[in-house]
Amino acid sequence: MAAIVGMLAACASPPAPNSPADVGPLAAPPTTPVPPHPAPPSPPPGADVIERAASVWSPVDWAELPGFDADALDEAWNAWLKSCERPALPWRGLCDAVRRLSLGSDDEKRAWMRQTLQPYRITPRSGTAQTAGLLTAYYEPVLTASRQRTAEFTVPLYAPPAGRPAGQPWFTRQDIDTLPQARAALRGREIAWLNDPVDALILHIQGSGRLQVREADGQLRSVRLAFAGTNDQPYRSVGKWLLDQGLVRDASWPGIKAWIARNPQRLNELLWSNPRVVFFREEPLQGLDAAFGPRGAQGVPLTPGRSIAVDPLSIPYGTPVWLSSAGPQTSLNRLVLAQDTGSAIVGAVRADWFAGWGPEAGELAGRLKQPLALWALWPRAEVRKQ
């Protein structure tokens, strides 16, 4: 499950090169996206409007998709192949073709998509609060950790407490930091220790991360911490906490860290404003595991730049989606796959873009918040009947 840095002011896991620093968003040349929610077009022959719990899908021509002929589809195909590891209806019958086309050219991929799929412009249902689309981003932090507590590494990362019933609110973040009974319940559940409580909070918000862990024998080992649950307390944005008090104007992570540097005596007050704590499970990080992100809500590994978190009431997991967004941070016109969700990802035209891992991805995720338009690419009616 993904949480997002984009949640800071409102509320939030890849093929890749060999080092996290090499991974970054793959931005398309700057273009202007289609305005967020124009009047639905006349349906192409044979295509009907699709109504979902949180959205309306209106059929459109392929020509409406900005930049479709320029996208590097081979990059998106890696994400599509991952979705085909756990395909839902109606994709099961199409995944053989998706696999065959992995060796085809981008032109061959585009021709197959035009023949097989129908684009649908996604808009909110009438009467809903959402009036415009919103794109944010999330990522995997890469952090240094120790397997044992030391004078430097004092901030624990926990596996879920044993025997705690799921779905019932448990100790808050402040309780865990201060109450002996909360500490006792988590004794022995420490996976690793960090040297910065703010890094721990970022890891909790992102929901997963990569650790360079110093083992007891002195060796350094790379592992992934994947989302394994929460304390079932509500998420509260520390960025919003700062904004509501007029303490900052910039609620991005760089802005938050700058405020902490000026006000170190208020660090716990800021941390405790978010009562939610995330628990983790350790996973290996080598070979292909290191080339992709964590598993999203669809149950497949995420691909940087080509996986998004969505509201599943608007877009089913595994759906290929055309994404268009332009703003001060990046301009995107590209094929992505709906493979994850998050507590702040609510609404018809809402996406959290998986940016990868490492500092560059984190810098983008900390600042990205811009308009968004989405088109679902759904099998044509005659294809669904086959």
Side-chain angles (χ1 to χ4, degrees):
M1 298 276 290
I4 61 169
V5 165
M7 294 188 294
L8 291 172
C11 164
S13 309
N18 293 327
S19 67
D22 292 330
V23 177
L26 305 172
T31 56
T32 302
V34 174
H37 305 313
S42 299
D48 297 323
V49 171
I50 297 175
E51 294 195 10
R52 299 200 173 274
S55 62
V56 175
W57 292 10
S58 301
V60 300
D61 292 326
W62 282 95
E64 183 178 306
L65 276 58
F68 179 69
D69 288 331
D71 190 27
L73 294 181
D74 61 306
E75 297 170 1
W77 230 253
N78 290 309
W80 205 335
L81 290 169
K82 287 298 180 184
S83 278
C84 281
E85 293 177 4
R86 297 191 65 177
L89 290 174
W91 299 105
R92 292 173 188 167
L94 296 179
C95 278
D96 283 346
V98 172
R99 295 184 184 98
R100 287 195 301 270
L101 280 164
S102 63
L103 300 178
S105 68
D106 280 358
D107 287 342
E108 290 171 322
K109 292 179 174 72
R110 257 184 284 273
W112 176 82
M113 292 174 67
R114 285 191 169 102
Q115 181 180 9
T116 309
L117 307 178
Q118 169 64 52
Y120 291 83
R121 179 64 179 266
I122 301 175
T123 56
R125 294 180 66 91
S126 60
T128 60
Q130 188 180 27
T131 58
L134 175 64
L135 179 68
T136 54
Y138 65 117
Y139 78 114
E140 276 193 300
V142 179
L143 303 170
T144 300
S146 173
R147 190 66 74 180
Q148 298 177 317
R149 181 180 178 128
T150 68
E152 178 185 359
F153 292 87
T154 61
V155 183
L157 301 170
Y158 294 109
R164 185 181 80 84
Q168 299 182 12
W170 202 61
F171 294 110
T172 66
R173 182 180 298 275
Q174 183 174 357
D175 294 337
I176 290 171
D177 285 347
T178 60
L179 295 182
Q181 58 266 43
R183 290 292 187 93
L186 289 167
R187 190 170 296 122
R189 308 301 292 172
E190 302 91 348
I191 298 174
W193 303 77
L194 300 181
N195 61 357
D196 185 345
V198 177
D199 284 343
L201 178 65
I202 292 173
L203 186 61
H204 285 202
I205 292 173
Q206 297 306 308
S208 68
R210 299 172 177 229
L211 300 184
Q212 298 290 319
V213 181
R214 182 72 63 183
E215 300 286 2
D217 61 5
Q219 294 190 28
L220 206 59
R221 190 159 72 96
S222 297
V223 302
R224 168 175 283 135
L225 293 195
F227 179 90
T230 75
N231 59 348
D232 290 301
Q233 294 286 346
Y235 175 85
R236 298 284 184 258
S237 165
V238 296
K240 187 175 186 301
W241 181 82
L242 290 168
L243 289 170
D244 287 348
Q245 298 180 81
L247 298 174
V248 299
R249 292 185 177 180
D250 177 9
S252 67
W253 273 119
I256 292 171
K257 288 184 174 181
W259 181 87
I260 292 170
R262 297 191 302 269
N263 301 275
Q265 75 282 359
R266 300 191 67 181
L267 174 59
N268 280 340
E269 187 181 354
L270 177 137
L271 296 174
W272 294 343
S273 70
N274 174 26
R276 174 170 288 185
V277 170
V278 170
F279 302 116
F280 301 97
R281 65 176 178 273
E282 183 175 330
E283 296 180 350
L285 191 61
Q286 55 189 5
L288 285 179
D289 294 324
F292 288 87
R295 292 181 182 273
Q298 190 190 355
V300 301
L302 305 179
T303 303
R306 297 293 180 165
S307 296
I308 58 172
V310 298
D311 183 342
L313 295 178
S314 175
I315 305 174
Y317 297 139
T319 302
V321 176
W322 191 258
L323 179 153
S324 181
S325 178
Q329 303 303 322
T330 189
S331 293
L332 301 170
N333 289 313
R334 60 175 50 199
L335 177 64
V336 294
L337 274 291
Q339 296 175 323
D340 204 3
T341 192
S343 60
I345 312 306
V346 178
V349 190
R350 178 71 174 94
D352 207 18
W353 184 46
F354 178 59
W357 52 85
E360 292 183 9
E363 178 70 17
L364 176 68
R367 295 189 180 279
L368 186 64
K369 188 176 183 181
Q370 60 190 45
L372 174 68
L374 295 175
W375 293 259
L377 308 181
W378 201 246
R380 294 184 182 274
E382 62 270 24
V383 174
R384 296 199 300 270
K385 293 176 184 177
Q386 294 175 359

